[in-house]
């Protein structure tokens, strides 16, 4: 498997999709901010031990860019995870998975806003399609509800989550050259530090739920699969077939997520879910097809 990029990338997106299902299963067994904080704290320790040589070699670069790296960890890891786990208190894992399918298009939008990346008509059309799918999911198949600001609180939190991760991914374009373990450790440091105030707020509000046996099993899954193995598999897949081709596999995330939510959680797959899934994936594929077509044309 370690030499098959397609299996590696499919597994990576499957593990990421499982994060939404795990977050839904965590309700009542471990509170969102505790799950968020312990996740990044333990991953930080694991990376600090396993990658200590790489971190020491990269330390001058890490120190030079420390505020950027800490901020990226807070934005991309803590805020996204906190919004995702909190959203799952109020909405379904199916909704959360489909809404995450809009992340690639938001990366494109933020790349334009931050770096002036040019927009084509096809890419704009792709964004409109994906955004329509997100709105359809967030309003549970009744788009007119958005005019009345009648959106499920969990789905509103998911919109915040995908906006946050879209910005984070686009902003990573400015990341310094580091070994992947050094980069992950620095980002996890920012994530853990920024997760502590949220954990304190949860405790102060009397909403802290310490994990029971099920909660610890969920934590173990989140640590091993979405946080560690998925990163290793994705990075290896990129090394084998390149970032552009590997990026297409991210489109599997909402598909895996919806499938897992139905099979594991027994959630009902509604007609609007199917329509939204088609819209989201079609939008991303149209935008990526146009981008690849233009890149291919530029090389010839």
């Amino acid at each position: 498997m370690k030499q098959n990029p397609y299996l590696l990338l499919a597994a990576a997106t499957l593990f990421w999709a499982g994060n939404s299902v795990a977050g839904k299963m965590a309700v009542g067994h471990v509170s969102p901010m505790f799950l968020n904080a312990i996740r990044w704290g333990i991953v930080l320790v694991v990376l600090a031990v396993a990658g200590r040589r790489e971190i020491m070699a990269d330390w001058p670069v890490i120190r030079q860019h420390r505020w950027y790296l800490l901020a990226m960890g807070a934005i991309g890891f803590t805020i996204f995870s906190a919004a995702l786990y909190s959203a799952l208190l109020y909405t379904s894992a199916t909704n959360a998975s489909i809404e995450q399918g809009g992340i690639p298009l938001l990366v494109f939008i933020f790349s334009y806003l931050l770096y002036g990346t040019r927009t084509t008509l096809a890419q704009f059309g792709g964004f409109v399609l994906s955004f329509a799918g997100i709105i359809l999911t967030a309003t549970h198949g009744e788009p007119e509800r958005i005019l009345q600001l009648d959106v499920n609180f969990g789905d509103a939190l998911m919109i915040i989550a995908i906006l946050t991760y879209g910005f984070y991914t686009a902003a990573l374009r400015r990341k310094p050259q580091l070994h992947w373990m050094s980069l992950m450790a620095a980002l996890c440091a920012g994530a853990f530090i920024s997760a502590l105030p949220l954990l304190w707020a949860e405790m102060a509000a009397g909403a802290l739920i310490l994990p029971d046996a099920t909660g610890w099993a969920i934590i173990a899954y989140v640590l091993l699969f979405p946080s560690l193995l998925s990163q290793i598999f994705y990075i290896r897949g990129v090394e084998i077939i390149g970032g552009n081709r590997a990026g297409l596999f991210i489109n599997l995330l909402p598909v895996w997520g919806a499938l897992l939510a139905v099979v594991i959680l027994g959630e009902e797959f509604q007609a609007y879910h199917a329509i939204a899934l088609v819209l989201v994936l079609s939008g991303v594929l149209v935008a990526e097809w146009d981008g690849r077509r233009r890149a291919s044309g530029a090389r010839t």
Side-chain angles (χ1 to χ4, degrees):
M1 178 177 178
K2 65 180 180 179
Q3 296 302 326
N4 189 317
Y6 309 108
L7 289 178
L8 288 170
L9 293 167
T13 54
L14 175 63
F15 297 158
W16 281 329
N19 194 34
S20 295
V21 175
K24 190 65 178 179
M25 293 176 67
V27 176
H29 297 284
V30 56
S31 52
M33 297 307 115
F34 185 90
L35 175 58
N36 190 30
I38 197 168
R39 173 189 185 182
W40 299 121
I42 295 178
V43 172
L44 175 59
V45 172
V46 172
L47 289 170
V49 173
R52 58 189 180 279
R53 293 179 181 175
E54 290 79 5
I55 294 171
M56 290 300 295
D58 288 334
W59 185 250
V61 180
I62 294 173
R63 184 173 180 179
Q64 181 183 356
H65 298 276
R66 61 188 180 279
W67 297 118
Y68 166 84
L69 293 168
L70 291 173
M72 286 296 97
I75 294 169
F77 289 3
T78 289
I79 297 178
F80 171 78
S81 297
L84 170 64
Y85 295 145
S86 298
L88 289 164
L89 294 173
Y90 306 97
T91 194
S92 68
T94 302
N95 276 29
S97 298
I98 293 174
E99 285 155 354
Q100 287 180 75
I103 290 176
L105 263 296
L106 289 170
V107 173
F108 167 77
I109 294 298
F110 280 115
S111 294
Y112 170 74
L113 295 175
L114 293 173
Y115 310 114
T117 304
R118 295 181 62 182
T119 309
T120 68
L121 184 61
Q123 289 168 337
F124 180 76
F127 172 75
V128 171
L129 282 173
S130 285
F131 189 70
I134 294 169
I135 294 300
L136 189 66
T137 306
T139 57
H140 293 215
E142 300 175 9
E144 65 276 7
R145 289 169 55 181
I146 201 166
L147 298 176
Q148 305 166 356
L149 299 180
D150 183 18
V151 177
N152 178 285
F153 182 59
D155 294 300
L157 285 174
M158 277 307 305
I159 291 175
I160 293 174
I162 64 174
L163 284 168
T164 299
Y165 205 80
F167 172 82
Y168 157 79
T169 305
L172 274 183
R173 178 175 171 179
R174 295 185 178 274
K175 67 179 177 64
Q177 290 297 317
L178 294 168
H179 187 277
W180 74 268
M181 293 187 74
S182 301
L183 176 63
M184 279 293 296
L187 294 173
C188 286
F192 179 65
I193 292 169
S194 58
L196 294 178
L198 297 177
L199 177 59
W200 178 86
E202 185 175 74
M203 294 172 60
L208 176 68
I209 300 176
L210 294 176
D212 54 14
T214 300
W216 282 115
I218 291 167
I219 290 170
Y221 170 83
V222 169
L223 288 172
L224 181 59
F225 293 96
S227 303
L228 290 174
L229 286 182
S230 62
Q231 299 293 341
I232 296 169
F233 287 3
Y234 188 75
I235 288 168
R236 180 57 181 154
V238 170
E239 288 177 350
I240 298 173
I241 64 172
N244 287 338
R245 291 169 62 194
L248 278 174
F249 281 79
I250 296 176
N251 301 333
L252 288 174
L253 197 154
V255 178
W256 283 131
L259 179 64
L260 291 174
V262 172
V263 173
I264 297 176
L265 300 177
E267 292 184 357
E268 187 174 354
F269 193 76
Q270 303 283 354
Y272 76 83
H273 285 136
I275 297 171
L277 197 56
V278 170
L279 287 170
V280 169
L281 293 178
S282 297
V284 174
L285 290 174
V286 165
E288 291 187 348
W289 167 82
D290 184 68
R292 290 167 186 271
R293 178 180 63 84
R294 289 176 177 273
S296 177
R299 289 193 296 268
T300 58

